[in-house]
Amino acid sequence: MEKPIILLIVLVGGWLCKRVLFNWKRKRRRDYYRNVYLKSAAWKRKRYVVLKRDNWKCVYCDKRATEVHHKRYARKIGREPIKWLVSICRSCHESLH
């Protein structure tokens, strides 16, 4: 009778630890992305290339593009290929998020 309870406690404890670790890593990654990468020279160059490629127009509504949207995210921040990025206006970007 005690073994199933101990097993249940171990399983729940393991799941909880994994969940806490996952959320902690996700927060660190998000903070780095927002506070470091998006302010870097590498991102500014990539952003300029994408805006220029799309003629400074939103790919969804053809208005003037002021932002760049990730269609997909790479596992390592900063390794996304240009083809995963699109020029987008503020209102379309807000509606996507």
Side-chain angles (χ1 to χ4, degrees):
M1 194 76 156
E2 293 176 6
K3 286 184 180 181
I5 293 173
I6 292 173
L7 181 61
L8 181 63
I9 291 170
V10 169
L11 290 175
V12 170
W15 175 83
L16 188 59
C17 286
K18 285 181 183 178
R19 195 76 191 144
V20 167
L21 184 62
F22 173 80
N23 285 332
W24 178 74
K25 284 182 178 180
R26 185 171 71 174
K27 183 182 181 322
R28 274 189 41 193
R29 180 179 168 89
R30 185 179 58 229
D31 290 347
Y32 173 80
Y33 178 77
R34 289 179 180 166
N35 300 326
V36 178
Y37 179 62
L38 289 182
K39 295 176 183 172
S40 71
W43 170 251
K44 289 177 184 177
R45 281 191 304 271
K46 198 174 279 192
R47 181 181 181 277
Y48 177 79
V49 167
V50 172
L51 288 167
K52 188 172 181 182
R53 177 197 67 200
D54 297 335
N55 294 317
W56 305 88
K57 294 201 181 231
C58 176
V59 296
Y60 298 108
C61 71
D62 226 24
K63 290 182 187 172
R64 180 169 166 71
T66 55
E67 300 178 7
V68 172
H69 174 69
H70 286 78
K71 293 193 292 184
R72 289 179 53 189
Y73 286 92
R75 286 187 181 260
K76 290 191 174 186
I77 294 173
R79 304 271 179 157
E80 66 277 325
I82 297 294
K83 66 182 179 181
W84 290 1
L85 304 170
V86 292
S87 300
I88 194 167
C89 69
R90 181 94 173 140
S91 59
C92 288
H93 206 185
E94 286 176 356
S95 68
L96 286 174
H97 287 281

